[in-house]
Amino acid sequence: MIVADKKPIEEIIEEIKNHEKILILGCNECVTVCEAGGKKEVGVMASALRMYFLNQGQEVKIDEKTLERQCDHEYLEEIRDVMDQYDAVVSLACGVGVQFMAEKYHTTPIYPGVNTCFLGVTEERGVWTERCQACGECILARTGGICPVSRCAKRLLNGPCGGATKGKCEINKELDCAWQLIIDRLKALGKMDDYEKITPIKDWSTERAGGPRKVVREDVQQ
Amino acid sequence: MRLQYPSDIKIIFVPCTGKVDVLHILRAFEKGADGVCVVGCLEGDCHFISGNFRARKRVEQVQKILDTIGIGGERAQMYNLSSGEGPRFAQFAIEMDERIRKLGPNPMKLAKKKAA
Ligand code: SF4
Ligand code: SF4
């Protein structure tokens, strides 16, 4: 999922302080799971903002709504008939949702309510870690299912580097060396032969280096 | 045991303080509560293992939010006692009552009146 983190309320207040009718818009998927932008977080933020503005003597209407997703037309359409009631929206979806909202409702300012961090997993409640950088050409088949692009600080494809100590990365002693993990895993799989194979230069044009990306699937297009 | 505690404290029963969410406490303030205290079992004695620790963290979150929005974090408090400690409950209630009286009414009430 896409992992996001909450933005401080002070920052949100700064973004919206000149508006009078504001919709706080959550998303029911990734940001709900990482407890940054689901229905509950929408409720907490809306309640805090209502109290803040009332206490400031500012008359501001703050409403709450949470959509199934904010990265699909069909769900964003659900609020079309109420959008004229608002002069700003704070979207608690990831950056994808914020932008899709802004594209769809381009005369209403849409403000981000979370910081979008990475594609990752819930290791335990309250701890999320990165797993994938969406490089566009997955090499996990060769690396024992552990991604050096996202988990090796240097993104080495033929690692490890000389800096790994006791299985930890040199940039941070708490961080596992991705290549140590890969080697351990390949050993467990009895596939150490794979480790001996040199990975050729990766085609980075499918990654962000090639500019914004697009996937077109004619087979499923209508 | 008949114990005296300030009469303007409204008690809301929950199965475990772990049930109390940040949102519940904020809503109470939004509706005009002058203070909210969450009273849980003693730390280490939670029937659901960590409900009271969770509650404490949530109260701390609420305190931060209340400070940020100018309502005052001290208005939310967490207390712990065992279920047999009636007198301690009364003592906490008195303490909370005194604390809130010192702070004065929830600024929300005044603001709501002004806005009306
Ligand atoms: S808008 Fe973002 S957070 Fe919401 S479902 Fe889509 S990708 Fe996930
Ligand atoms: S190789 Fe690329 S697509 Fe595969 S997990 Fe790593 S970053 Fe993601």
Side-chain angles (χ1 to χ4, degrees):
Chain A
M1 68 174 154
I2 296 187
V3 177
D5 200 1
K6 289 195 204 170
K7 265 192 191 293
I9 292 184
E10 298 93 309
E11 196 180 324
I12 311 278
I13 291 174
E14 206 41 46
E15 284 171 354
I16 59 170
K17 63 178 186 212
N18 296 322
H19 296 287
E20 285 166 357
K21 290 169 283 175
I22 300 156
L23 176 66
I24 313 293
L25 190 65
C27 173
N28 236 340
E29 306 242 355
C30 322
V31 287
T32 295
V33 180
C34 61
E35 301 185 48
K39 195 172 177 198
K40 194 191 271 183
E41 291 75 30
V42 167
V44 169
M45 183 182 291
S47 176
L49 291 174
R50 275 193 294 266
M51 284 196 267
Y52 172 81
F53 286 116
L54 193 60
N55 199 26
Q56 294 287 309
Q58 247 174 290
E59 225 177 283
V60 181
K61 165 177 138 129
I62 310 248
D63 285 348
E64 315 169 14
K65 192 159 182 64
T66 298
L67 299 178
E68 195 51 37
R69 286 198 287 278
Q70 290 187 33
C71 48
D72 274 311
H73 288 295
E74 56 190 293
Y75 300 112
L76 292 184
E77 282 302 327
E78 288 173 7
I79 50 169
R80 179 156 308 274
D81 51 345
V82 295
M83 276 300 281
D84 59 354
Q85 296 172 23
Y86 303 103
D87 58 13
V89 175
V90 177
S91 162
L92 299 201
C94 71
V96 176
V98 176
Q99 292 184 64
F100 217 29
M101 266 296 289
E103 281 168 42
K104 212 173 223 332
Y105 300 110
H106 53 104
T107 55
T108 308
I110 316 289
Y111 298 101
V114 300
N115 291 321
T116 305
C117 303
F118 48 75
L119 305 186
V121 295
T122 310
E123 288 214 6
E124 57 185 83
R125 192 160 176 209
V127 179
W128 294 274
T129 51
E130 185 164 19
R131 286 292 185 278
C132 173
Q133 294 215 333
C135 71
E137 197 219 359
C138 194
I139 59 165
L140 286 173
R142 298 198 293 274
T143 56
I146 290 156
C147 171
V149 179
S150 54
R151 300 183 67 184
C152 165
K154 298 170 186 169
R155 296 175 142 205
L156 295 181
L157 298 183
N158 295 288
C161 69
T165 315
K166 292 186 183 148
K168 299 291 174 186
C169 175
E170 69 174 338
I171 67 147
N172 177 350
K173 283 192 184 69
E174 284 182 12
L175 199 68
D176 287 326
C177 164
W179 274 98
Q180 183 70 55
L181 297 178
I182 293 171
I183 290 166
D184 291 348
R185 186 82 210 281
L186 288 176
K187 268 188 201 154
L189 294 172
K191 287 173 82 175
M192 273 305 274
D193 288 353
D194 277 8
Y195 178 62
E196 298 301 329
K197 290 180 201 147
I198 299 292
T199 302
I201 293 171
K202 187 167 160 56
D203 174 9
W204 289 105
S205 70
T206 59
E207 206 235 20
R208 249 295 297 176
R213 295 164 286 174
K214 188 176 192 171
V215 173
V216 180
R217 289 264 315 273
E218 280 173 12
D219 57 333
V220 291
Q221 270 181 328
Q222 281 177 343
Chain B
M1 203 181 328
R2 278 184 181 277
L3 292 164
Q4 293 285 329
Y5 67 87
S7 58
D8 38 14
I9 290 184
K10 188 174 171 195
I11 298 185
I12 299 169
F13 295 98
V14 287
C16 168
T17 48
K19 171 75 192 156
V20 182
D21 196 75
V22 172
L23 196 53
H24 299 133
I25 309 179
L26 284 183
R27 288 261 197 268
F29 283 108
E30 219 184 322
K31 288 187 172 168
D34 297 316
V36 173
C37 70
V38 178
V39 185
C41 297
L42 290 174
E43 295 193 349
D45 271 357
C46 176
H47 289 282
F48 304 100
I49 302 166
S50 58
N52 48 4
F53 287 111
R54 264 189 225 148
R56 180 170 293 280
K57 279 194 191 167
R58 290 175 189 155
V59 169
E60 283 165 9
Q61 263 172 277
V62 170
Q63 289 173 330
K64 254 197 222 150
I65 295 174
L66 293 179
D67 275 334
T68 309
I69 60 176
I71 308 293
E74 285 166 275
R75 290 179 186 278
Q77 293 293 329
M78 172 89 198
Y79 289 107
N80 298 84
L81 47 67
S82 85
S83 53
E85 292 180 301
R88 239 173 117 74
F89 176 82
Q91 180 204 325
F92 289 156
I94 293 165
E95 213 179 287
M96 189 69 190
D97 187 71
E98 279 170 5
R99 180 198 304 268
I100 300 302
R101 280 185 199 285
K102 257 188 229 146
L103 292 170
N106 177 350
M108 270 308 90
K109 279 197 245 176
L110 207 69
K112 266 191 194 158
K113 249 187 228 159
K114 262 193 210 158

